[in-house]
Structures are given as C-alpha cells and as structure tokens.
Amino acid sequence: MAAVAGTALALSAAVTVLAAGGGAAARPEAVSTPATGPTLQTIDLTSVTGSSVTGRSAAAGARAVAPRTTGRFSMVGVTWSDPRRKLGGVVEIRTRRAADGAWTGWQQLESDGASPAEPGSGDARAARGSTDPLWVGESDGVQARIADAGRARPLPAGLRMDLINPGDPGTPAPRPTAPAADALPAPAGRARADVTVPPRPAPAVFSRTRWGANEKIVRGAPEYSPDVQVVFVHHTAGTNNYSCAQSPAIIRSIQAYHVKSNNWDDIGYNFLVDKCGTLFEGRAGGFSRPVLGAHTLGFNARSSAIAVLGNYSGVGVPAPVKRVIAQVAAYKLGAYGNPPSGRVAMTSSGSDRYARGSTAMLNRVSGHRDTGKTECPGNTLYAQLGSIRSLAGAAPSGLAVTKVNGATKVGATYYTRGTIRPFWQVSTPTSMLYRFDVFVDDVLTASAPRGDREQLLTLSPGRHTLRVRAVGLNGMTTVTSVAVLVDQTLPEFTSGPSVSLRTGSLNGIVPVRVRWGVTDAGGLGSLALTAPAPVKLTTTTTVWAGSVKPQAETSYGLRATDRAGNARSVAVQRTASVIAETAGERTGTWSTVTGTAYLGGRALRSTTAESALSWTFTGRSAALAVSRTAVSGRVQIFVDDAPAGIIDLRSPDTLHRRAVWTRAWPDSAQHTVRIVVEGTAGRPGVIADGLVYLR
C-alpha cells in the first residue's frame, strides 16, 4: 500500500490555507489506476501542533492541511488510534477531480463517535476510531481543515487522513442474482409423502464476487450470532451524487476503508443498497446466516445491518430502496420467526446511549440512532422506517382463488371429475413472498414457489375443502379456501326417452312429444336434445314437443351433463307411419271425398249414425287424422274394443289434416282403433283422413 506522509502544520486562530510552493498545487501527470485490489494512501495528521481552536464551524477557526497532490483515490476518511475516542471536532475536506483538475467545495466528514466493532470480536482487536468515509469520485488532490466542536482539547492520537482507491476487479459488474435459497423443513401438520417444500428464496443480490470484493484483504474467518433479532438501517453519509454504475466501486472502497483504515476483519455492514434499489452482499460468511458485523455500537450481536449508499438527512428515499430494505428485513427476521413489525428487548454490549448490560426496547427494524447518538440513517430515511416496518411485517394480501380449470363453479362450490388446476392471485409483490401451500382437507398436498399461481391436483371422489396458503418472506401467512365436490358418477336417466304422437297439423309433418326423467346426485349442469334437432334445454325440462317427417326412421337423443362434467347420452329410433282411411275396415255408409286438402288426396265422409271405421296396427302410439269444420259432428273412439272417449270435430275454422286424438302405450303391441259416427243433430257429418302410428 502506498503512503503519503503529511506535513505537520501549526495554525493560528485564523483559517490558513497552504499550497505547495506557496501557490496553487499543480495538477500532476495522470497516475495509472491499479489493475486489481484497493490501495490506501495516508496523510499523517498527528504532527499538527498548537492548541485546538474553539469554534462550532471550520470557518470560525481551524487547523488546515495544505492542498496537495496525491495518487488517484475515490474515497476519503479520517481515522485515529483509540477506537473508544471521539474525534471531538469537525473535519472538512475538498478534493481535486482527476478528470479536469477542478477543486470541489468543502464537504464535512460525519463522525458518530466510538468504533462500532463488537467488544471481543475480531473487528475489535486492532480497531481504530474513524469518521464515515466520503465518496468523492476519482481524484488526485486533497485539502483538509479541522475545527473542534466547542471544547479545547487535543486531537486524538494517531490522527490521519486515509485515501482509498477501490481498484478494478477486472470484470464488469453483472446483473444481480439471487443467492442459493434456504432449505427449510416442511410445515408442521399432515402432509402427503411426495410433497417437497421449495427452498426459501433470498433477495436478488450482487454477490461479493460480482461487486469485486477483495477476499485477500479479509483478515479473519466470519463470526456468527445465534440468530437475528433486529435489522438496523444505516446510511453511509457522504454524497448522493453518484451513478449507480459506480456502486460496486463505492462498496469496494468501503470494504478497503473498513479493513485497511478501521482495521476490521471485513466490511462492517451485512448488506448495502444503492439509490437505484440494487442490493449488495456485504460482510462474508453466508447471505442467509447470522453473520456478526461491525455496524451498530453495542448491538452487533443477534442483529443484521443494511446501509443505504448516500446521505438521507434531507433527501427523499426512493421507493425501490424502501422495498429492498423491507425485503431484507423480512428475509433475515422471518428466518427466525421474528415479526418485522414487532419489538424486542436487546441487551447492550455498551454504547453511548445504552450502557453495557442495559436493556433497550427496540423495533425489529430500527435505525442506527435508536441505539447511539448519531444522525444515522438521516432524518428522511428514519422517518420512513415505520412504513418500511409495515411493508416488511405485513401478511400476504389480496389472496384469492380466481378460477379452477377442470371444474364448474355453482354457487360457492366447484364441481369436478377429479383433476383440477386451481389458479390464485395475490396483491403482495412476489419479492416479499416465500411460497404457496395447497391443502386438501387440511392435508398439505402441494407446495409451490412464490412465482407460481397455479397447481395441478387430482382429488378423490367426495366433498373437499381446498385451501391455498400464501407464506410471506417474513413467515406471515394468509389463507383462502373453496369447496370442491368430486363427482365421478354419470347422470342417470330414470325414464325415457319415450316418444308419442301429439295433436296438431299433419301437413307434411307428424307432431311428436318426447318425455324423459333424469337425475344426478351432484346436480345437473346441462341438458340437451341431440336429435332429431339440437336443442338446449333447462336441467328441469322433462318434455319436448316437435315435429318429424312421416314414413322415416327418426332418432330421438338426449345428453345430460352434471356439474362435474360427467355426461350420459341416450337415444331411441321411431318411425311415424300413416294408414290411409281406405285401408280401414268400414261399416255403415261412407263416401269418398277428394282434393289436395286431404292426406293422399282423398278422405272418407259419413253422415250416418253408427257408421264405423277401424284400423289394426302394431305400434306404441296412435293419432286420429280428420278434417274439422263448423258443421262437423262428434265421433266415439274405441281402443281394443274399450271406449276411449268422444271427440267433437266442430271448429270455427276449417282445418284439414289434423291429429285430434292420441293414445300411447309403454311398449309396441298390436292395437285396434275404431271410430263410430254419432250422427250429431244438425251436424252429423264426419270426415276421416286416416290413422298415424309410431312403430
């Protein structure tokens, strides 16, 4: 590591700015950037002599380090020997940009006080006191001034200015990826033997390899706490004037400052996040493990810390940054069953706010200032911790089953034959979720990764309760449930289809009626006539009236489908035949009438009482074909020599080719239908046009 020795300067009460050679420092020739590894340059400040100047700002009175040319650096801080000692003053620096040789304005280095290294840890063995480091971008010159904070006291021993060059890892920083997920045991309770719970996902992160951590400078093996009870939120102070492409270099510089300047084992923070919301892995030891860091004086044990790159004392916190902090808090605290929105009692190992052994009641997501006398993490970021806690600690919201493929929903129940694919939705961002558990009757049947929103299931017959449980990264759960009925029994036609003739016009057609009975234990979903014509029917329909062609074999089909999708079809074939009136046996007096109005172009007419006409056939339904007029009389009807009623053929309108009486039997058999003319007074005439029957 290169070192630049500083020159001791004795200052009076007036601010003195010194330059090499008595004038402005000349800009040096370009210094090549090291190909690998960070470098440290130091400027010794201990030889500054004279009494401390009382004053609350550097402008009121200060000790100054003249502007000087240095090797290239991008981060600057001030350190001293005693890690328990506060600086007791204000350090301001300005730097010269390497790109154009221009000097920046004066910038203050934040100093929180004693070193946050945990007592007894590797970090504490040779720790130094320090200010927060300040990212200044690539520079090649520096100037400093120091004023006390109102007390006349010597500056700390071993005081020096540390200039960090982050080096170049040699490869561009790639996109962040998720580290290996945690493998956790299956949820408690009954579960099918073939269920595998997915690993607990970790946030997408730039690993140490990706941001170019220098593992050669790490001084000791990682140390661990039993668990994580609190996540502390920090900011790195300094500037927000950086591009997010510079974030890996800033973090490499912080690591170098923490190791080479603070003498810690590694970078102090467990995680870092830049203003664009990109998460970086901090201290080595395992992303998911409770790695002991050096970040929060008195409370490093059983905690984890995330630092936001930049200063948030008065600058708004970008929404992506808040989301990442919440995600990290949910991930780290949820791994140990600790609710991020809760509180916990923590025992201090000694800080400037809580004495060693005292108890602090802390929010699970706390700011650095909650345990120490510091402005960190800045007023605006600190003010957002409540909403961050709410986001980190919330149970999954908006969980609902949106549809179930392979099933039909009727009311609140889904009906299926057994294989279904439920789909669900949730309004919580996927990054804040762990997994989805699917239960059937309280038995864990499947467990899906957080990105999934569906699951294929095969259920046994019967009624079931299907539950989907969303598990948050923080361990909080939300459940939604639906009722499912698995029905593998086909609908049952309890009767029919039976076909019979009905009254109506016989003008080139034969009126028919189809009857049936159908039932299903789970309920019918649909019913349709498939022949002789496709007709959608209501599930409560039991009869259909239509017409078919005479003298042609006709199919009559029905299809019943239950709510689960089980279907049964039935069909019969029937032929409607016409027996001409002349083919019947006649008694009494009948005369033939002709014309296109009659079936076959002719019919028989009688006005004589007791004239009879009969037909014998084999079939299962019959209909009498006649003409009806205003002067038509009545006929008596006999079926198989048994009286079957009296039909009055009178009609205000003249109607030819009419079926006026029908009869049906359960089975096909031989029957005789006979009509007898009554000889009705004033209108004795009857016109018979034949008999129609189904066979």
Side-chain angles (χ1 to χ4, degrees), residues 159-180:
L159 193 69
R160 75 187 192 202
M161 189 176 347
D162 288 15
L163 310 177
I164 299 291
N165 186 317
D168 184 353
T171 56
R175 297 178 62 186
T177 56

Side-chain angles (χ1 to χ4, degrees), residues 216-234:
K216 293 180 180 179
I217 67 173
V218 176
R219 295 182 174 180
E223 298 176 84
Y224 298 92
S225 292
D227 55 18
V228 175
Q229 294 290 328
V230 177
V231 169
F232 287 108
V233 179
H234 297 249

Side-chain angles (χ1 to χ4, degrees), residues 12 15 73 94 251 306 372 380 414 456 494 624 657 660 675:
S12 64
V15 177
F73 67 95
R94 66 178 188 138
I251 296 170
I306 180 169
T380 54
Y414 287 91
L456 183 66
T494 56
L624 177 64
R657 304 186 183 190
V660 296
I675 63 172

Side-chain angles (χ1 to χ4, degrees), residues 171-232:
T171 56
R175 297 178 62 186
T177 56
D182 300 332
L184 297 181
R190 292 187 298 160
R192 279 184 11 185
D194 59 344
V195 174
T196 300
V197 176
R200 184 168 178 265
V205 67
F206 266 83
S207 67
R208 289 170 62 87
T209 299
R210 292 178 182 274
W211 59 257
N214 191 318
E215 306 299 351
K216 293 180 180 179
I217 67 173
V218 176
R219 295 182 174 180
E223 298 176 84
Y224 298 92
S225 292
D227 55 18
V228 175
Q229 294 290 328
V230 177
V231 169
F232 287 108

